[in-house]
Amino acid sequence: MTHTVSPVGYMRSCFKEKFAIPRQPHLAPAARGMLELIPPFDQAHALDGLEQVSHVWLLFLFHQALEAEPRLRVRPPRLGGNTMVGVFATRSTHRPNGIGQSVVRLDRIEPGRLYLSGIDVLDGTPVIDIKPYVPYADAITDAHNGLAEGAPKRIEVQWTETSLYQARSEAARLNEPLHALIEQCLAQDPRPAYQTPSPERRYGTRLWDVDVRWHYTNLTTITVLEVVRAES
């Protein structure tokens, strides 16, 4: 039996590239985006009551990671990228049906639009459903996960004088907490865990319309080198 699903809307996200997106929601509270609903879900009565909700679950498609053949075992980054476990023990993007889920903060509602923060979703992602977070049912105080008991250890993020000035200037232009967003994303250490970077190697990603470039001063420290508006 097969089923067909259709998007209820599309994410307009601060994350323009997959690299450096936090691997779970809420690790970067400054990560913001807007879910733009499409007809008929953009009608006001579809959102009646949602103003009483602080957080929502997004169900979405990993539209840039869909695969013809399912993977039964994957190498999660949390385990160093070399250890294989069953796909259903992970939140890997390599899903049997390409479906992801994230619980995110609902900041405000406009007609046909939901403004969200703490997101971990790529720009353009098709969202197939929205569900309210229900604290008494969704927060299980005695739950455990032996593969990922706590949040990843953060690494130090440093700035050059120039990059800090650039980040603050671009943040003012965008009216977004860009400085915090960069720090929160890079502190998760976005490189593959099995990779040992040299200080000479440069990394980069795009947040909003800004290119961010950095290098690893050592294995426990990132230095932001440049924050510049992307070329159109």
Side-chain angles (χ1 to χ4, degrees):
M1 182 182 296
T2 60
H3 299 274
T4 300
V5 296
S6 299
V8 302
Y10 293 88
M11 279 297 304
R12 310 304 174 200
S13 166
C14 60
F15 297 116
K16 307 303 180 182
E17 299 177 357
K18 289 184 288 185
F19 188 52
I21 295 180
R23 297 185 178 109
Q24 300 293 342
H26 287 289
L27 295 179
R32 296 179 178 179
M34 181 265 290
L35 173 54
E36 188 170 21
L37 301 172
I38 61 175
F41 308 106
D42 57 346
Q43 298 182 46
H45 55 267
L47 302 177
D48 281 351
L50 200 59
E51 71 281 353
Q52 301 179 62
V53 174
S54 67
H55 293 74
V56 294
W57 288 100
L58 300 182
L59 300 180
F60 56 89
L61 296 177
F62 289 113
H63 63 300
Q64 290 192 7
L66 297 177
E67 299 172 330
E69 295 294 328
R71 299 193 191 189
L72 303 185
R73 304 186 77 203
V74 296
R75 294 180 171 87
R78 185 63 183 272
L79 300 182
N82 287 318
T83 302
M84 295 195 73
V85 296
V87 64
F88 297 126
T90 78
R91 294 193 181 185
S92 165
T93 59
H94 304 291
R95 311 307 308 173
N97 290 293
I99 298 175
Q101 65 174 21
S102 292
V103 60
V104 299
R105 175 174 287 279
L106 176 59
D107 292 324
R108 73 179 193 274
I109 301 172
E110 292 182 358
R113 295 178 173 181
L114 302 182
Y115 288 84
L116 309 166
S117 61
I119 65 173
D120 60 343
V121 183
L122 183 67
D123 187 60
T125 292
V127 174
I128 58 176
D129 206 353
I130 307 159
K131 296 187 178 185
Y133 182 84
V134 181
Y136 78 84
D138 293 343
I140 303 174
T141 56
D142 61 346
H144 70 276
N145 184 330
L147 295 178
E149 282 290 3
K153 184 179 179 180
R154 293 174 178 262
I155 65 174
E156 183 181 1
V157 178
Q158 298 179 345
W159 298 78
T160 65
E161 184 177 346
T162 298
S163 66
L164 184 57
Y165 173 80
Q166 291 171 333
R168 289 171 174 168
S169 297
E170 295 300 327
R173 177 181 64 84
L174 292 166
N175 193 29
E176 291 287 344
L178 182 63
H179 176 272
L181 176 61
I182 294 170
E183 287 211 345
Q184 291 166 8
C185 290
L186 298 191
Q188 311 300 321
D189 193 358
R191 69 183 170 89
Y194 56 82
Q195 191 178 93
T196 302
S198 66
E200 294 76 27
R201 181 168 182 175
R202 300 296 185 261
Y203 293 80
T205 195
R206 184 165 295 180
L207 302 174
W208 297 115
D209 63 350
V210 171
D211 286 333
V212 182
R213 299 183 181 91
W214 67 91
H215 77 140
Y216 287 79
T217 311
N218 52 58
L219 290 180
T220 61
T221 308
I222 280 175
T223 299
V224 183
L225 301 172
E226 190 175 41
V227 181
V228 295
R229 198 178 315 182
E231 297 182 3
S232 56

